[in-house]
Amino acid sequence: MTDTAAATPATGSARLGVLLMLLGMVMFSLNDVLGKWLVSTYSVGQLMLIRSLAAMVVLAPFFWRVGWRRLIEVEQPKLQLLRSALFAFEASAFYFAVAYMPLADTMTYWLAAPIYVAALSPLMLGEHVGWRRWSAILVGFAGVIIALSPSRESFTLPALIALAGSLAFGLAMVFSRSLRATPDTTLVFWQVTGAALFAGVWCLSDPGGWAPVSAVDFGLLSLLGIVAMAAHMLVNRSLKLGDAATVVPLQYTLLIWAVLFGWLFFGDAPRPAMLVGAGFIVASGLFIFFRELQLKRRGG
């Protein structure tokens, strides 16, 4: 009876973790749909600025509780600035790319980020990567090439910006590993502040790109930052309740939602090459994740 009673809460927590991860992915996907729709009316800089300021307002009580001195006086400030700049660029690149490309195509490039992290970690962090993970990395890169379908027609500016944005995302995650000792609140502060400054400079350099905003659209633009934060909170809570091996792979359901929502809201039919490339990328990412998990358990 004791064993059964002890197992029940753990099982319930694991199930809740799965549900929260799935809900987080749906929220991220709906947020992307909203962003794709809004960027057809407003510039990327305007969208990013309102989104970031809204997030800053919501997070202000948490920043105040931590204290501004602890947020600003950090170790490796140059690395913090570089990480923030990369995240600001990748978010802007995503919204620019998704304005011209199907949602599923854009998401496919971003799902390759863990592959870039695995490839860059030995060079930048000195981490050891064996032949199995290098093989998976090569498979993942092959998937990116297949999804891109290299040709004179496919090398469009949005596609190249999407590729650059996903690379910047991967590089920013590598830097995040170097800043593991920095509290999460501090990392979020620098990330949101960097995005707001990046967008502010963008808007100042192109004042003609600022369009009048209705009250409804202002609320929707603000909602972008708020929903994204809520989705991040769901994902973080999921990782605390469920085993990583169970909940992390569920992040790839983003691609399913991207295909479905892209078709429902924008009439985008997925390209066969994109689906094949996405399959390679997902398989590679899952192998890298489970291999790293296996090595950590052996080390522990």
Side-chain angles (χ1 to χ4, degrees), residues 53-299:
L53 292 177
M56 186 70 75
V57 169
V58 173
L59 290 169
F62 299 96
F63 296 152
W64 183 267
R65 184 182 303 172
V66 171
W68 297 108
R69 178 172 294 181
R70 290 181 59 188
L71 293 174
I72 296 173
E73 295 178 0
V74 294
E75 297 181 2
Q76 305 185 69
K78 292 182 180 179
L79 190 58
Q80 291 277 7
L81 287 171
L82 183 56
R83 173 184 174 275
S84 298
L86 286 168
F87 271 122
F89 172 77
E90 71 87 11
S92 301
F94 178 85
Y95 287 117
F96 181 89
V98 84
Y100 299 96
M101 295 171 57
L103 195 60
D105 286 43
T106 309
M107 187 57 66
T108 297
Y109 292 116
W110 259 259
L111 289 178
I115 299 167
Y116 305 146
V117 173
L120 292 170
S121 293
L123 303 175
M124 301 181 66
L125 302 178
E127 296 181 0
H128 173 71
V129 174
W131 67 269
R132 293 180 181 84
R133 277 186 287 175
W134 274 120
S135 299
I137 289 168
L138 292 176
V139 170
F141 280 129
V144 173
I145 293 172
I146 293 171
L148 185 60
S149 302
S151 67
R152 185 173 298 178
E153 292 76 20
S154 66
F155 279 110
T156 61
L157 181 60
L160 293 176
I161 288 179
L163 188 59
S166 65
L167 285 168
F169 184 45
L171 193 57
M173 289 199 293
V174 172
F175 289 144
S176 296
R177 288 191 178 188
S178 300
L179 297 169
R180 287 172 179 167
T182 303
D184 291 342
T185 305
T186 303
L187 291 175
V188 171
F189 170 78
W190 281 66
Q191 187 172 331
V192 175
T193 302
L197 292 174
F198 183 89
V201 172
W202 184 324
C203 292
L204 288 174
S205 64
D206 182 27
W210 186 275
V213 185
S214 67
V216 173
D217 283 359
F218 184 83
L220 293 175
L221 288 164
S222 301
L223 197 61
L224 280 175
I226 297 170
V227 171
M229 283 191 305
H232 277 297
M233 291 174 65
L234 288 171
V235 170
N236 291 338
R237 187 61 180 169
S238 169
L239 290 169
K240 292 179 180 180
L241 292 173
D243 183 75
T246 302
V247 298
V248 169
L250 296 174
Q251 294 181 2
Y252 287 103
T253 58
L254 273 172
L255 187 59
I256 298 173
W257 292 118
V259 172
L260 178 61
F261 290 155
W263 175 69
L264 284 176
F265 294 106
F266 306 105
D268 295 330
R271 296 180 296 112
M274 185 279 295
L275 293 175
V276 173
F280 276 76
I281 291 169
V282 171
S284 172
L286 287 174
F287 179 87
I288 291 170
F289 168 72
F290 283 113
R291 181 62 181 169
E292 290 181 350
L293 199 63
Q294 184 183 41
L295 292 175
K296 285 181 182 178
R297 286 174 176 172
R298 286 180 182 176

